[in-house]
Amino acid sequence: MTTATRLDTREISPLIGTEIRADKQVLLSGEHAATIRGLLEERGVLVFPRIDFTNDEQVAFTETLGTLATEMRGEQVYNVTLDKTVNKGADYLKGSLYWHLDGTMNEVPILASLLSSKVLPSNGGGDTEFCNTYAAYDDLTDEDKQAYEQLRVMHSTWTTLLYYEPEPELRMLQQMMAIGERELPLVWKHRSGRKSLVLGCTAGHVVGMDRAKSIELLVRLREWATQPQFVYRHQWSVGDLVMWDNTGTMHRARPYDPDSGRLLQRTKLAGEESFA
Ligand SMILES: [Fe+2]
């Protein structure tokens, strides 16, 4: 009987992020899939430095961890780039420069995203930041936890549009409004018993709260959840793979030159738990 290879792991900071160094073939074998899934939920972000997966390998690795979620047109891999010749929907990525979690418009948001870097800006920028929304919830005072317990927040894609296009064309606004809105709990009570905060640039207003108070609360909580102790900032090297638990983190890209050719490739794990 062969002994399973040990995973070489290192915590990046106390509350978020673990670096995993492993042989590519060992990861693709799936022998550590359960450990990786456990670490993902516990640590929010997992970094595989310079693992250099090809697209097919990234898809295969993703499938060792759960069900691969395809893109709208059925693609397994999505090109994250602001270059419109590579990604016609690049404009929608402008919202990714602001703190968010993916899939707030879906009944069941994706469980995780895996992002690998192919081309990086030669002139810098384009780091990706993550914050741990489980840890941010846990560190609230009991009084705050109680006050937020029952609050509901209206989320929409058009709210994000106003971050990067404060005076949008009506047609553009209407297109995004047609996507709809979703009322989500501010505090997500997971099946595991843990709780995380549901925030981000899709959050428009707290249901039933005065407009100014609502905005103040959402900004207060975003500021709280993105304090340095909850944040990991990834500075990319070509070939890195970073995956994050979309249900217990928020993320954002830092600005970069849209003409820099920056190209990351993403696969996703299908969601397993609704917000309710
Ligand atoms: Fe995103």
Side-chain angles (χ1 to χ4, degrees):
M1 203 175 110
T2 51
T3 320
T5 348
R6 256 178 52 83
L7 269 187
D8 179 5
T9 65
R10 179 184 74 85
E11 294 195 354
I12 298 168
S13 75
L15 295 178
I16 184 168
T18 289
E19 194 178 273
I20 299 180
R21 290 185 187 269
D23 182 79
K24 202 192 244 195
Q25 295 310 325
V26 171
L27 291 178
L28 290 172
S29 76
E31 73 177 86
H32 293 294
T35 308
I36 291 170
R37 281 281 303 248
L39 276 173
L40 180 69
E41 200 226 306
E42 197 184 312
R43 306 287 305 152
V45 180
L46 303 178
V47 179
F48 302 82
R50 297 177 194 255
I51 190 75
D52 277 318
F53 279 147
T54 63
N55 278 2
D56 286 349
E57 287 168 340
Q58 184 171 334
V59 166
F61 177 59
T62 306
E63 286 176 332
T64 67
L65 300 170
T67 307
L68 182 125
T70 54
E71 300 297 328
M72 276 197 290
R73 286 177 204 83
E75 309 96 323
Q76 293 182 310
V77 178
Y78 178 77
N79 289 319
V80 178
T81 173
L82 294 176
D83 183 344
K84 285 187 194 163
T85 62
V86 180
N87 176 7
K88 286 198 181 72
D91 274 349
Y92 286 95
L93 284 174
K94 289 180 186 165
S96 66
L97 297 173
Y98 305 94
W99 287 109
H100 67 282
L101 59 102
D102 296 331
T104 47
M105 290 299 103
N106 302 331
E107 182 69 38
V108 179
I110 55 166
L111 169 65
S113 286
L114 297 86
L115 207 52
S116 61
S117 60
K118 304 293 174 183
V119 183
L120 294 173
S122 54
N123 45 2
D127 294 353
T128 307
E129 287 184 308
F130 304 90
C131 72
N132 188 334
T133 52
Y134 278 123
Y137 174 82
D138 289 341
D139 279 4
L140 288 169
T141 62
D142 288 343
E143 200 183 359
D144 279 346
K145 283 179 185 166
Q146 210 174 15
Y148 304 149
E149 185 79 13
Q150 301 302 331
L151 293 183
R152 315 255 322 156
V153 178
M154 196 61 92
H155 288 256
S156 65
T157 311
W158 65 262
T159 302
T160 306
L161 171 68
L162 299 179
Y163 274 71
Y164 57 85
E165 201 66 64
E167 292 183 344
E169 283 175 21
L170 177 62
R171 204 171 55 89
M172 183 63 166
L173 179 69
Q174 287 170 332
Q175 259 174 26
M176 292 184 91
M177 282 182 160
I179 299 170
E181 301 190 299
R182 278 196 93 84
E183 190 184 302
L184 303 176
L186 173 60
V187 178
W188 186 350
K189 295 162 193 144
H190 298 261
R191 281 192 300 237
S192 62
R194 296 179 75 197
K195 293 177 183 177
S196 63
L197 292 169
V198 181
L199 298 165
C201 61
T202 54
H205 67 274
V206 181
V207 176
M209 191 177 277
D210 166 84
R211 180 172 152 79
K213 282 209 163 57
S214 159
I215 291 175
E216 188 193 2
L217 177 59
L218 292 173
V219 170
R220 178 198 302 280
L221 285 172
R222 193 243 305 131
E223 196 167 271
W224 171 265
T226 58
Q227 293 177 95
Q229 69 269 32
F230 304 130
V231 171
Y232 168 62
R233 179 172 183 147
H234 188 69
Q235 280 182 295
W236 293 94
S237 294
V238 172
D240 287 351
L241 178 88
V242 176
M243 70 182 293
W244 65 94
D245 174 0
N246 184 59
T247 71
T249 58
M250 288 196 289
H251 58 279
R252 68 170 176 177
R254 301 306 290 143
Y256 57 95
D257 176 1
D259 298 321
S260 65
R262 181 187 191 263
L263 175 65
L264 305 182
Q265 287 181 320
R266 182 185 71 192
T267 48
K268 297 184 300 194
L269 278 174
E272 297 174 359
E273 188 175 17
S274 67
F275 286 105

